[in-house]
Amino acid sequence: MLRTSDNRYLYRNIRNYLAGQALGSTRDEVLLRDVVKALFCKHWMEVQGLTIPSAAADVAKAYRRALLSVSRKVPDLFDPSEDFALDEQSLIFIHESILDLDLNDPTVDLIGDAYEAFMGAGIRGQEGQFFTPQNAVGLLLDLVRPEPEERVFDPACGAGGFLSATARLRVTAGVPATKAVSTIYGHDKDGYLARLAATRLAFVSLQSPNVFCADSLAWRSEDGQPLPTSPLRGNFDVVLTNPPFGSKIVAASPDVQRRFNLGHSWKYGPRPGSYTKLAALTKSVPPQVLFLELCISLVRPGGRIGIVVPESLISGRNYRHVVNYVRQAAEIRAVVGMPEALFKTSGKSGTHTKTCLLYLQRHEDDTSRSTSIFMAEAKWCGNDSRGRRTSRDELPIIAKRYATSLKGSPDRVASDHLGYYVQPQDLVEDVLAPRYYNPDIAAELEALKPTHELITVGELVANGLLTITTGNEVGASSYGSGDIPFVRTSDISNWEIKLDPKHGVSEEVYNLYASKQDVREGDILMVRDGTYLIGTCAYVTKFDTRILFQSHLYKIRVNNPDVISPFLLLASLSSVPVRRQVRAKRFTQDIIDSLGSRINELVLPLPRDLAIRRRVEAMVRRSINERVEARELARHACLELIGTTATASVDDEEALWPPSSTSGQEPSLTIVIPDSSEHASSSIE
């Protein structure tokens, strides 16, 4: 197994020194190229058994002689007339800095570390391209397991992480470096990245690799010449790739898009669970969709594919036809969910896009199959949400769990979020996101069965006990037009609706939607769309009914409080088991996460003991009443301070709060607060 290294600190020190000392060559690309040249030269001298001079005056000369030899060996990367751009003192500093590096250790990607340190892991982030972290590369290799003789291809090789790791893994296993690299191929349409990938491979074998600047979707080289990889198209043994992804990226021209089945629109039917391709092209097809089909077409029957995909591609309702297409063409061997921090490289760089590692095997014939699918959901990946390295990395554990599962029956594998099997017939609506099937959640609910009644929200709706609706979008032009609260997801917190929401609307706008939304005391607002707020709830009190709420919120109404009260429902929706279900069932829809209709799948744990139910209801009621009382006390104190009940204004733009009375007199506020023994009443006159 390759080990994850981190020489970036060393390379950053080199970069900082060079940036401060170099004259006329301060661009990172120029500085980095000289560092890479130095690495190649030192590697060449060690392989040739040459002694590196100890005298400072002779070091630069030795490196320049080595560079000439290296350029003859790999002329595609270094021109024979090329020299170091840096002065001798800077070259000596580089030499002294890399002196202790073991350049012959195939388990460490020294060139990859250098590029990440100088250029950042998201050097083409605006185009949806990011360095694939080495531990994720290693895990996908552990899943797919390319053999030494197999032809491995990456159609969107980017910086060459998969290609370099495959070569180094082979060398680690004892395969000669030249042979290890000879059956590895790569394309990338970005010339800079293609050269980067070629450099990483060449460092392993000190020979020119099979990496070309080409558009794999169009299957066209940058100069219009036939691609050297064309004879192998459809006959690769393994494809490993992390293609660019993003809904706004234009991946192909209409002519190219037309060549792909998934470039067309699809409709559901005519048979249940089937889809039919239409003649019309999809107006905007993300690159990951086309690359997924391309990868399947590139391998021979029985060939294997390891690909990084956004989780939305294998879970979103808009992509169900894509998953259906994949299942018709290949066996799904494994799906591993990655933490959102995987591609986050710093506080500002990288992306929080939730991704999955997908391992497929192309069908050898048309015979139907039913292969168990290995799944896992990693919570930690070796770095946090700001890109800082941490010791918490579950990817090696998942790799070991998968290797163990191959040695025996899948049903004997320990079943938790780090590894479990799902049967194809148990997939729900072609959702492949591993967290949707997390056995930890099922085990938690199973443990509650003796003491709790487990019932889904959908069952309560079907039995007429609950009604669920959503709000409306009034349009940004209506914001600030009046004082009536327009409640948004950020206005929901701790079971409360904020007293002063960000936006208010006019009476006219309110009247357009009020009867349709029909907000009543006892309703529960729950965040449906967004990010971390999904599942957050608020109780609508009698002071909150004069509001409008946006479409990203559910309104849940209890129709029969004698069976389940809104207070008990609120506690259940906010409980740990339900919150974990919400996290497992929210998927990216376009650019935000959504729980969608999967709210009906939530299993609510309701205590069988009626006394416990009553105590919970009383505690929730008391919590809400006390918060309302505190809120109203604060509001009345501010009104009392200025001696008016009229609406005050700030800069003649926004109100401090909506008027509470139209009679000109302050209303009496009575809050009923039940406790464990009696009902107490407090009154504010």
Side-chain angles (χ1 to χ4, degrees), residues 466-468 522-524 526 554-558 569 573 599:
L466 296 183
T467 300
I468 301 178
D523 288 341
I524 295 173
M526 179 177 177
Y554 301 106
K555 184 190 72 178
I556 306 174
R557 175 167 296 164
V558 172
L569 177 62
L573 289 171
I599 186 176

Side-chain angles (χ1 to χ4, degrees), residues 439-455:
D440 295 353
I441 295 174
E444 185 175 32
L445 292 172
E446 185 67 25
L448 290 172
K449 272 188 176 181
T451 56
H452 289 72
E453 178 184 358
L454 303 180
I455 187 167

